[in-house]
Each structure stands twice: as structure tokens, then as C-alpha cells.
Amino acid sequence: VAAGECVRRHDGHTDYARSIAGHPTASTTWASGSYDHTVRLWDNRDGSTSASMTLDHGAPVEDIAWLPSGSLLVSVGGQDACVWDVLGGGRLLKRLRCHQKTIMSCHVAADGG
């Protein structure tokens, strides 16, 4: 950052990326959420600049958050909050629709609560 040079670029989203969250236990893994309705997981270990996994949230993604173990990821946007089993191949565990307006942010406490 100090040099002002891009050291690595990750392409994949087709609209604005709204949220980025580093994995809580693996420093080379992170996730991004976008207005293209997807959450993408990235792993820098393999040298690839493509996403290692893509999850379809079904609405523009406003925010994402990892649970402390790093096996589950929450995405929010539109009227939905989604819980994803990342270690289980990106399986959608639960879609919660409990808001009448767009959910703009989410937070998971350090103890997972």
C-alpha cells in the first residue's frame, strides 16, 4: 500500500464488491460479497486469481461475516440473511427472511453469538 502498487488482482465479480472479510483462522483465505448477487471465496495459496468457490445469495450482497471457526459464513442483502457451510462445499444451511427492507450489515461476535 505504501508504494501505491497493485501486487495482486482478483477478478470475478461482475458488479461492485461491497464487502470483504478475511478468514478468521487461515490468513490466505478471504471472501467477498458483491452486487452481482454472489459471494466468492478466494485462496491465495494456489497462486490463482480466480475464485475458489462462488455462492449465489440471490440478491445484491451488502455484507458478509465469518463465524469464528471459519467453517460457516453469513451473507446479507435484500431481505435475506444466508448461512453457508463453506467446509461442506458451500452448501446453504439456512436462509432467513425476516426483514421488510434491505439488510445492510451483519456482525458475528467473537464467541460465535
Side-chain angles (χ1 to χ4, degrees):
V1 172
E5 295 179 28
C6 179
V7 294
R8 186 172 203 145
R9 180 182 166 126
H10 294 271
D11 294 317
H13 286 297
T14 58
D15 205 338
Y16 293 109
R18 283 283 293 166
S19 180
I20 296 174
H23 192 279
T25 62
S27 63
T28 61
T29 303
W30 50 283
S32 57
S34 169
Y35 277 178
D36 67 6
H37 299 204
T38 67
V39 174
R40 295 182 188 261
L41 277 64
W42 311 87
D43 188 346
N44 288 337
R45 290 177 299 179
D46 63 4
S48 173
T49 59
S50 299
S52 59
M53 186 182 300
T54 301
L55 311 172
D56 182 8
H57 179 81
V61 178
E62 298 287 347
D63 201 9
I64 55 176
W66 292 95
L67 271 71
S69 68
S71 62
L72 301 178
L73 180 72
V74 176
S75 62
V76 298
Q79 296 176 334
D80 296 333
C82 297
V83 181
W84 304 93
D85 180 1
V86 175
L87 291 182
R91 183 170 59 101
L92 178 62
L93 293 179
K94 188 74 173 176
R95 179 178 300 273
L96 303 166
R97 177 164 283 180
C98 50
H99 293 82
Q100 293 179 349
K101 297 200 178 202
T102 300
I103 304 170
M104 299 295 292
S105 64
C106 63
H107 175 77
V108 176
D111 66 359

